[in-house]
Amino acid sequence: MKTIIEPFKIKSVEPLRFTSREEREAILKEAGYNLFNIQADDVLIDLLTDSGTAAMSAHQWGGMIEGDEAYAGSKSFSRLEKTVKGLTGFRHIIPTHQGRAAEKILFNIVGGQDKIVPNNTHFDTTRANVEISGAEAVDLPVPEGLNPTLIADFKGNMDLDALESLLQRKGPEQIPLVMLTVTNNANAGQPVSMDNIRKTAQLCRAHGIPFFLDACRFAENAYFIKIREPGYEKKSIREIAREMFSYADGCTMSGKKDGLVNMGGFLAVNDDQLARRARNILIVTEGFPTYGGLAGHDLEAFARGLDEVLEEDYLTYRIRSVSYLGKQIDQLGAPIFQPPGGHAIYIDAKAFLSHIPPHQYPGQALACELYLCGGIRACEIGSVMFGKTDSKSGEFEPARLEMVRLAIPRRVYTQSHMDFVVECIEAVFRKRDKIKGLHMVYEPPVLRHFTAQFESL
Ligand SMILES: Cc1ncc(COP(=O)(O)O)c(C=O)c1O
């Protein structure tokens, strides 16, 4: 069947507010052409992020009522712990309020001056937590992962030759662990193959270095392995996920993605010493080890979400609907990062608006235009986020790619919402030659994309 049918019925709805183009023009101007400054109520279709934006199931909401709010020894934590141990096989499960809290604890312990942490590609919070500890974050993506038009199955993979050479040069004294992000969010949500996970683990073991997964989107990655990697067609998603985790010594997890919850995360490790140190930090920064910054009802919903995300009908719908959006945009002739990843479509703004130079922020200009056209909120991942102006020479250093990310919240929008998004992209694509760039009039000192202000040129 061609039609992608949502594997759920809708029991509770949230109305959307429609605005006119004139209203959106005024809203955007008032927001300094920064979509982070726009009220959610003024957005029709919110594709800013897939993080913490999932719709929970009736089963999860039921669990919220049953959540055990005991400070110590909460039954809901025991359920989460049992679920995560069953899924990952790790010995110690340390709950945190979200993924970056797990990263902070981990790199607080293993990071520090002169240390180096390799990853296929660090997500921005992972990089920030590595760097804040004093360590260096090194990205080692496979070269094909950097080519937006190339169609390949596992463009999220780690470059094993580059990793081996780094491990040989630096060794366990300088490299406290190697991380692999599945799927590779910072590289367009591209998946990592089981073969690559296994070989990364083997290299780490050969050099006596622990191997960790950044597992936020482990289920989407497992689904790609099932449909793309020979030998996995007949395995269940749970079996594939278990195998992925079996090669690792631990993981960080943001439940706001494949946990299907609005808040939650954990750090999981096998090493008893590391777990003891992590729990000591946890008590100071997050809370007691049986709640770690979460309410009992969050723990309960998280445990249930981790089971639901493994359902194959759900994952088929999820990956097919992201790919549907990508294919429709591609058929317009509009350039996207190929092939569609697990959680988002990335429009290549440099090719879409080839007349706008990087220092006039083509990605931001395109994101603003999508908002003006239909109230769609997307996220620029380009020179606003990663570009720099050299403080001495005043020279502008653009980002490697100019992308606009359309991240799809889980179980929130239907196919007709996506058809509307495609219609807007088509309208914007037709008049692309008339779209103007932007000038940054306020640049904050850190993470500038969140609060920068612009003027239209
Ligand atoms: C790959 C990856 N790692 C870590 C994080 C951080 O998770 P959180 O937002 O829960 O802190 C994210 C969030 O988007 C992510 O995509």
Side-chain angles (χ1 to χ4, degrees):
M1 293 289 183
K2 275 205 320 289
T3 308
I4 305 161
I5 166 162
E6 286 81 15
F8 46 80
K9 295 190 283 186
I10 297 166
K11 197 181 197 111
S12 169
V13 296
E14 189 179 343
L16 293 173
R17 194 174 86 82
F18 293 85
T19 50
S20 66
R21 185 170 176 112
E22 292 69 45
E23 282 175 296
R24 291 194 292 276
E25 275 168 7
I27 291 165
L28 194 60
K29 199 161 179 218
E30 177 67 28
Y33 295 87
N34 186 335
L35 297 158
F36 283 98
N37 288 338
I38 293 181
Q39 295 297 311
D41 206 28
D42 293 331
V43 174
L44 187 65
I45 300 194
D46 205 343
L47 306 182
L48 191 64
T49 176
D50 68 318
S51 178
T53 51
M56 290 206 295
S57 65
H59 185 56
Q60 285 178 290
W61 280 111
M64 297 284 280
I65 300 288
E66 288 175 28
D68 177 0
E69 304 301 340
Y71 188 97
S74 156
K75 280 188 292 214
S76 298
F77 174 67
S78 300
R79 268 193 283 274
L80 177 68
E81 187 183 40
K82 190 164 167 238
T83 304
V84 179
K85 281 188 173 174
L87 175 67
T88 64
F90 296 133
R91 285 154 56 91
H92 301 280
I93 313 303
I94 298 163
T96 57
H97 79 276
Q98 63 183 101
R100 68 197 69 183
E103 292 165 357
K104 176 144 200 318
I105 293 171
L106 179 63
F107 292 112
N108 200 303
I109 299 169
V110 305
Q113 287 298 316
D114 301 327
K115 298 274 170 66
I116 297 171
V117 179
N119 198 323
N120 47 350
T121 316
H122 288 84
F123 178 66
D124 59 5
T125 61
T126 326
R127 171 173 288 278
N129 277 304
V130 168
E131 289 175 353
I132 278 175
S133 80
E136 187 189 346
V138 176
D139 291 340
L140 301 174
V142 280
E144 59 265 34
L146 304 178
N147 177 350
T149 53
L150 180 89
I151 308 264
D153 284 341
F154 292 105
K155 286 169 76 175
N157 281 353
M158 174 83 87
D159 184 333
L160 295 168
D161 291 337
L163 178 65
E164 184 164 27
S165 139
L166 184 67
L167 299 188
Q168 270 164 2
R169 275 181 287 125
K170 303 293 177 181
E173 305 74 35
Q174 268 191 280
I175 302 181
L177 57 84
V178 172
M179 248 190 157
L180 195 54
T181 306
V182 295
T183 57
N184 192 339
N185 181 13
N187 215 17
Q190 298 293 312
V192 179
S193 70
M194 191 71 89
D195 184 58
N196 194 258
I197 298 174
R198 193 183 305 116
K199 287 183 174 147
T200 303
Q202 281 164 356
L203 275 178
C204 290
R205 206 163 310 123
H207 287 85
I209 294 172
F211 169 50
F212 273 61
L213 290 176
D214 176 340
C216 303
R217 297 179 181 82
F218 73 96
E220 290 169 5
N221 199 85
Y223 185 80
F224 278 116
I225 289 175
K226 183 177 171 83
I227 60 171
R228 291 187 182 170
E229 194 161 347
Y232 288 92
E233 313 77 350
K234 296 216 166 64
K235 299 217 168 174
S236 70
I237 300 295
R238 186 179 291 277
E239 283 171 318
I240 297 172
R242 279 233 46 165
E243 183 177 338
M244 285 163 56
F245 286 114
S246 74
Y247 298 121
D249 300 292
C251 76
T252 54
M253 170 79 190
S254 165
K256 297 169 73 174
K257 287 81 173 175
D258 277 351
L260 296 177
V261 283
N262 308 120
M263 194 46 82
F266 60 79
L267 169 65
V269 300
N270 280 334
D271 181 326
D272 297 342
Q273 276 298 330
L274 182 58
R276 191 166 304 136
R277 291 177 69 188
R279 287 199 180 98
N280 284 335
I281 299 175
L282 185 85
I283 290 177
V284 179
T285 58
E286 290 278 298
F288 193 71
T290 60
Y291 72 87
L294 291 170
H297 55 250
D298 293 327
L299 298 163
E300 192 69 48
F302 193 2
R304 294 177 185 211
L306 284 171
D307 277 336
E308 287 178 13
V309 79
L310 298 173
E311 285 165 14
E312 212 170 308
D313 286 346
Y314 159 73
L315 283 168
T316 304
Y317 140 80
R318 169 78 178 153
I319 301 300
R320 274 193 68 199
S321 47
V322 174
S323 149
Y324 171 83
L325 176 62
K327 281 198 184 119
Q328 302 299 310
I329 301 173
D330 184 46
Q331 276 168 16
L332 302 174
I336 61 165
F337 194 104
Q338 293 281 14
H343 67 290
I345 295 299
Y346 292 67
I347 302 178
D348 183 347
K350 201 189 262 180
F352 196 111
L353 298 177
S354 51
H355 59 289
I356 302 184
H359 70 275
Q360 292 177 6
Y361 308 111
Q364 190 70 13
L366 178 55
C368 288
E369 213 48 47
L370 290 177
Y371 178 72
L372 287 176
C373 176
I376 297 161
R377 176 154 65 173
C379 183
E380 191 263 11
I381 303 198
S383 287
V384 175
M385 201 180 261
F386 296 120
K388 281 187 213 118
T389 307
D390 190 288
S391 54
K392 285 196 193 111
S393 68
E395 220 164 278
F396 178 75
E397 196 188 306
R400 194 167 43 78
L401 299 168
E402 303 290 345
M403 295 283 175
V404 171
R405 185 182 74 174
L406 307 169
I408 319 294
R410 292 168 180 80
R411 303 193 291 208
V412 170
Y413 295 116
T414 63
Q415 190 168 332
S416 63
H417 288 113
M418 292 302 118
D419 288 340
F420 177 81
V421 172
V422 174
E423 255 185 69
C424 278
I425 293 172
E426 185 175 14
V428 172
F429 191 53
R430 271 211 221 103
K431 55 164 264 197
R432 61 190 181 281
D433 296 344
K434 299 202 174 59
I435 298 171
K436 296 201 177 95
L438 295 163
H439 170 59
M440 195 183 283
V441 290
Y442 166 65
E443 179 185 1
V446 282
L447 294 173
R448 65 183 192 165
H449 54 287
F450 288 121
T451 52
Q453 300 265 314
F454 304 86
E455 271 171 10
S456 179
L457 285 168

